[in-house]
């Protein structure tokens, strides 16, 4: 599958886009990225105080254009032909 990164995640990963194979869920993808690139992406997506039962991801993960929060969250299934977009949390006020 193709995984595309935006904003600060591009800097953290060091790439705009990568190919990933063999992961079955969004959670496995995040674990893969933490292991093969940097644990910082997992910390920013899953380890902030804003993460909780109603918001399992701090940021936005789209699978084929659909926000995983409207699918099965971290358990959203992934296929080899999917395109995943990962955005960091948005700031503002």
């Amino acid at each position: 599958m193709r995984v595309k990164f935006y904003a600060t995640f591009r800097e953290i990963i060091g790439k705009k886009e990568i190919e990933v194979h063999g992961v079955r869920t969004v959670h496995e993808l995040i674990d893969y990225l933490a292991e093969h690139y940097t644990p910082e992406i997992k910390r920013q997506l899953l380890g902030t105080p804003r993460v909780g039962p109603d918001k399992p991801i701090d940021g936005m993960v789209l699978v084929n254009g659909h926000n995983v929060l409207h699918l099965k969250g971290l358990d959203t299934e992934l296929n080899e032909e999917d395109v995943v977009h990962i955005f960091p949390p948005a700031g503002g006020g």
Side-chain angles (χ1 to χ4, degrees):
M1 79 193 64
R2 289 186 329 185
V3 183
K4 298 182 177 191
F5 303 96
Y6 297 88
T8 55
F9 284 164
R10 239 178 225 176
E11 298 167 19
I12 290 170
I13 296 295
K15 297 179 184 264
K16 183 175 165 178
E17 181 177 325
I18 62 170
E19 288 277 332
V20 174
H21 303 282
V23 297
R24 297 176 309 224
T25 66
V26 170
H27 200 281
E28 284 184 19
L29 174 60
I30 294 169
D31 286 342
Y32 176 93
L33 295 172
E35 182 180 333
H36 291 88
Y37 290 90
T38 175
E40 182 63 19
I41 194 163
K42 184 174 182 177
R43 189 192 68 72
Q44 287 194 26
L45 286 170
L46 305 179
T48 72
R50 293 182 292 268
V51 172
D54 295 331
K55 186 176 182 188
I57 299 170
D58 192 15
M60 186 167 48
V61 178
L62 304 178
V63 176
N64 301 323
H66 300 282
N67 190 324
V68 298
L69 295 180
H70 302 293
L71 300 171
K72 294 181 182 175
L74 293 171
D75 294 325
T76 300
E77 295 173 3
L78 298 173
N79 297 301
E80 290 295 316
E81 58 277 349
D82 288 340
V83 178
V84 180
H85 301 264
I86 302 179
F87 298 86

